[in-house]
Amino acid sequence: MTLIHRIETLYGKAFDTLRSLAGDWFMGLFARLAFSSVLLVYFLNSVATKVGAGFPGFLVPEAGAYAQIVPAIADAAGYDVSKIAFIPWGLIVFAGTYAEFLLPLMILFGLFTRAASAGMIGFIAVMSFVDVAFHGVEAKTIGAMFDRVHDSAISDQRLLWVLPLVYLTLHGAGRISADAVLAKLRKSI
């Protein structure tokens, strides 16, 4: 056996052992915790700028939600939400506001993780579109794929936001999740 062959064998065994230790629990948990540790508070704070305080204020999107989600419509109505039609604009604002609240929590707990992750990818895509098309962010903030600048808020950061979500959409939350608990309950019934 040549030295190169021995090194390749050792290399293969080391990473096969690492993959075996990670099993079917690590990557789903890691992706959920990575996403949540970076973005859960960000999205919850964003929701707080869109709704009223306490109960039932938390259930009603306010002018800030309309200004952030459908800025041209809110501006045309003078930021008086009573002048904005519920269908489609109010419904869009309601869905966007509560998707921003519920989806990150579902991902954290691993509840309907594949659907929540796919929904969050869609949410981030719509959020990025609204930022570019309606909030007038400058080219530096938008950035570009494969450019030499690595810190644009839209193309670079949001691509990294989506990475764990793609994993979760394709592979699920793993063994340590609400999804796994529900699967065990379903099997025992």
Side-chain angles (χ1 to χ4, degrees):
M1 190 184 289
T2 67
L3 178 61
I4 296 294
H5 185 19
R6 286 183 182 166
I7 292 172
E8 286 178 337
T9 302
L10 183 61
Y11 176 86
K13 286 181 180 180
F15 283 98
D16 286 346
T17 301
L18 186 61
R19 183 177 50 218
S20 176
L21 291 171
D24 64 351
W25 64 272
F26 179 76
M27 280 306 298
L29 179 63
F30 179 76
R32 290 184 2 251
L33 292 177
F35 176 81
S36 297
S37 70
V38 173
L39 292 167
L40 179 66
V41 173
Y42 171 85
F43 284 118
L44 294 180
N45 284 336
S46 179
V47 170
T49 68
K50 295 177 173 93
V51 296
F55 184 82
F58 180 77
L59 300 174
V60 182
E62 293 186 336
Y66 288 82
Q68 291 176 55
I69 298 172
V70 289
I73 303 301
D75 188 45
Y79 300 95
D80 181 355
V81 297
S82 68
K83 294 179 181 176
I84 300 173
F86 182 74
I87 295 179
W89 309 116
L91 186 59
I92 291 168
V93 168
F94 187 84
T97 299
Y98 292 99
E100 188 172 25
F101 173 70
L102 293 172
L103 294 175
L105 289 173
M106 292 169 68
I107 291 165
L108 173 63
F109 295 113
L111 179 64
F112 305 116
T113 308
R114 289 178 176 203
S117 297
M120 200 70 219
I121 291 169
F123 182 90
I124 292 168
V126 169
M127 175 182 153
S128 299
F129 173 76
V130 169
D131 285 346
V132 171
F134 300 111
H135 291 295
V137 296
E138 67 276 358
K140 181 181 175 187
T141 300
I142 297 168
M145 303 290 282
F146 304 106
D147 64 357
R148 64 181 179 80
V149 181
H150 65 280
D151 62 352
S152 66
I154 303 223
S155 66
D156 295 329
Q157 289 179 15
R158 293 186 186 167
L159 179 63
L160 290 174
W161 292 3
V162 168
L163 180 63
L165 298 171
V166 169
Y167 178 87
L168 292 167
T169 299
L170 297 175
H171 298 282
R175 218 177 344 153
I176 301 174
S177 66
D179 288 343
V181 171
L182 290 174
K184 285 180 184 178
L185 289 173
R186 217 175 18 254
K187 286 180 183 177
S188 69
I189 295 176

